[in-house]
Amino acid sequence: MGNKQRVVIKVGSQLFCHQDTEAIQQIAKQIAKLQQRGTQVILVSSGAVACGQARLSETELNREHEMHRQVFAAVGQDTIMGHWKQYLQQPLAQVLIDREHFDRREAYVKTQALIETMLEHSIIPIVNENDAVNKGSKVVGNNDNLAAFIAAMSNAQGLIFITNVAAIYKDYPHCQQAVTEMDAHDESLTQWLSAECSAMGTGGMKTKVEAARSVARRGIGTLITDEKTELWSRLKGFHHTGTLLTPGNKVLPGYRYWLSETSRSLGKVFVDDGARQALTQHGASLLLPGVRSCEGSFGTADIVDVCAQPSGQVIARGKIRVASNTLSQWLALSKTDLSLQHNQKSQIIVHRNDLVIVEGS
């Protein structure tokens, strides 16, 4: 990383679950050191449910009850912000996110601009999922994924997970053989991963590696470590605490990364072998003659998966130009309507500028 950089730091639930103010203070000091050396910081701070549960421990509210969990989250957000306000001596801004901020391009760009404006004015964005109201299709899932989405959205150079397990270990839980550096896409990582999450969290080492592999496609490296690490020195390579997952050389531009990794597909379009070859080998747009069927309910400008028929393999993802009901009508008519057959050869369903090929296709 160069002198001018931006990092996203994701802090796990365990620190807040145990009210570990010493650890929180230590992280705040590390953030201050990074900023003094010209690094902009975005915080993704887990622990709202844990904090709320601790504050409401005398009540009969139950974490397993969905509505009660939402109450814990609403109460806990205040506690999280209070901790950071105590130790970070500069303006802070709470940014509560749901899945729609990533699915819809307009919302994505506006959220991106908001975070950029905060950073330009030396305000630290503290991002969390809006667990108090999010449910169903609005849920991101866990804050490891959220941190990856934010890192890509904000064009960060690094993603840092601060967790109670200080690195990836080949011999976990004995923790004697740490992996100091590895390509994020190295398949040998999988054999060392535990999917277990902490008692109060929703992620584990497996989800952190999945997040690292996702942002690697945007050219972002990921550091997994604990609160004791001198972050600036580690990022400069002066020591090798924790595990650094490097991104490799294949980097997707921002818009194509959004299509591939961040947006959510609302349907499927099945294409014949000729269309598959045109898309994957020649960089073509998807035209109506190559489409055989569609599945799901989607509108114009929604994101869909493009699948090979008959295998069903996803070969691409893109922004469609035709709603599902219209496309279904066209496909039915094209078999009998001669005028449509004549005109459909140039009908673009997904333009190549709004299309990204899935790796391995």
Side-chain angles (χ1 to χ4, degrees):
M1 295 184 182
N3 291 326
K4 187 65 176 177
Q5 58 191 14
R6 176 179 296 174
V7 296
V8 172
I9 299 177
K10 189 264 181 178
V11 180
S13 299
Q14 284 293 300
L15 294 180
F16 292 100
C17 171
H18 298 301
Q19 299 293 298
D20 192 348
T21 55
E22 182 177 344
I24 297 168
Q25 187 174 11
Q26 177 66 22
I27 295 168
K29 288 180 180 179
Q30 295 300 320
I31 290 172
K33 288 180 181 179
L34 287 170
Q35 291 178 315
Q36 288 166 9
R37 290 163 173 81
T39 301
Q40 295 175 325
V41 175
I42 302 167
L43 261 177
V44 176
S45 189
S46 296
V49 174
C51 288
Q53 186 173 1
R55 287 182 63 178
L56 299 173
S57 60
E58 301 301 319
T59 70
E60 295 182 357
L61 293 171
N62 182 353
R63 180 187 173 93
E64 302 306 317
H65 189 288
E66 182 182 19
M67 184 61 70
H68 294 181
R69 185 181 175 88
Q70 289 177 290
V71 172
F72 287 148
V75 172
Q77 287 293 347
D78 177 63
T79 303
I80 287 176
M81 291 302 294
H83 279 304
W84 290 122
K85 189 180 295 184
Q86 182 177 356
Y87 297 117
L88 291 169
Q89 304 301 313
Q90 67 183 91
L92 310 176
Q94 185 178 49
V95 182
L96 297 177
I97 293 287
D98 64 37
R99 197 63 177 79
E100 290 186 2
H101 289 91
F102 303 108
D103 287 344
R104 294 190 302 109
R105 186 63 183 173
E106 181 183 5
Y108 185 90
V109 171
K110 286 183 177 180
T111 306
Q112 186 180 52
L114 173 66
I115 291 174
E116 191 71 36
T117 302
M118 291 175 180
L119 293 172
E120 287 175 0
H121 292 84
S122 300
I123 300 166
I124 297 180
I126 299 183
V127 183
N128 204 347
E129 184 160 9
N130 195 1
D131 291 322
V133 296
N134 286 357
K135 60 181 181 178
S137 63
K138 287 191 173 184
V139 173
V140 175
N142 67 63
N143 276 356
D144 293 341
N145 289 335
L146 177 61
F149 290 163
I150 293 296
M153 173 189 280
S154 62
N155 298 311
Q157 286 75 51
L159 170 59
I160 302 171
F161 289 111
I162 297 181
T163 180
N164 59 324
V165 180
I168 294 174
Y169 292 94
K170 297 181 181 180
D171 61 342
Y172 185 83
H174 304 292
C175 300
Q176 299 297 317
Q177 301 178 48
V179 178
T180 57
E181 185 171 330
M182 183 174 280
D183 188 310
H185 297 292
D186 193 319
E187 288 302 320
S188 61
L189 271 171
T190 306
Q191 63 185 304
W192 306 318
L193 296 181
S194 169
E196 294 180 4
C197 61
S198 67
M200 301 303 286
T202 57
M205 199 60 76
K206 184 178 179 181
T207 63
K208 290 170 178 56
V209 171
E210 289 171 352
R213 285 174 169 168
S214 174
V215 296
R217 300 193 71 198
R218 189 71 184 96
I220 300 171
T222 300
L223 175 64
I224 300 172
T225 189
D226 62 16
E227 77 280 0
K228 301 181 183 69
T229 296
E230 286 280 340
L231 294 178
W232 185 82
S233 298
R234 178 63 176 97
L235 296 179
K236 288 295 182 181
F238 297 151
H239 60 81
H240 297 90
T241 314
T243 299
L244 180 64
L245 299 177
T246 56
N249 298 320
K250 291 184 179 179
V251 179
L252 282 174
Y255 177 62
R256 291 190 179 275
Y257 179 89
W258 173 76
L259 283 173
S260 173
E261 300 287 327
T262 309
S263 66
R264 181 162 48 186
S265 171
L266 295 181
K268 295 180 179 181
V269 173
F270 296 88
V271 301
D272 61 24
D273 193 58
R276 181 189 63 78
Q277 291 185 43
L279 297 177
T280 60
Q281 298 177 24
H282 304 294
S285 298
L286 176 60
L287 305 181
L288 183 59
V291 179
R292 288 293 165 261
S293 63
C294 64
E295 181 180 295
S297 177
F298 49 83
T300 303
D302 280 342
I303 306 303
V304 299
D305 289 328
V306 179
C307 306
Q309 188 163 296
S311 70
Q313 177 192 6
V314 179
I315 60 172
R317 172 176 284 193
K319 182 187 292 186
I320 198 158
R321 292 191 170 190
V322 183
S324 55
N325 56 350
T326 302
L327 182 57
S328 295
Q329 291 171 5
W330 285 359
L331 292 172
L333 285 171
S334 66
K335 298 174 182 178
T336 56
D337 192 308
L338 293 178
S339 63
L340 182 58
Q341 288 181 40
H342 178 75
N343 294 325
Q344 72 174 186
K345 291 184 178 181
S346 61
Q347 180 65 54
I348 295 175
I349 303 303
V350 181
H351 194 278
R352 62 184 180 182
N353 291 345
D354 295 319
L355 186 80
V356 61
I357 303 301
V358 173
E359 284 190 1
S361 298

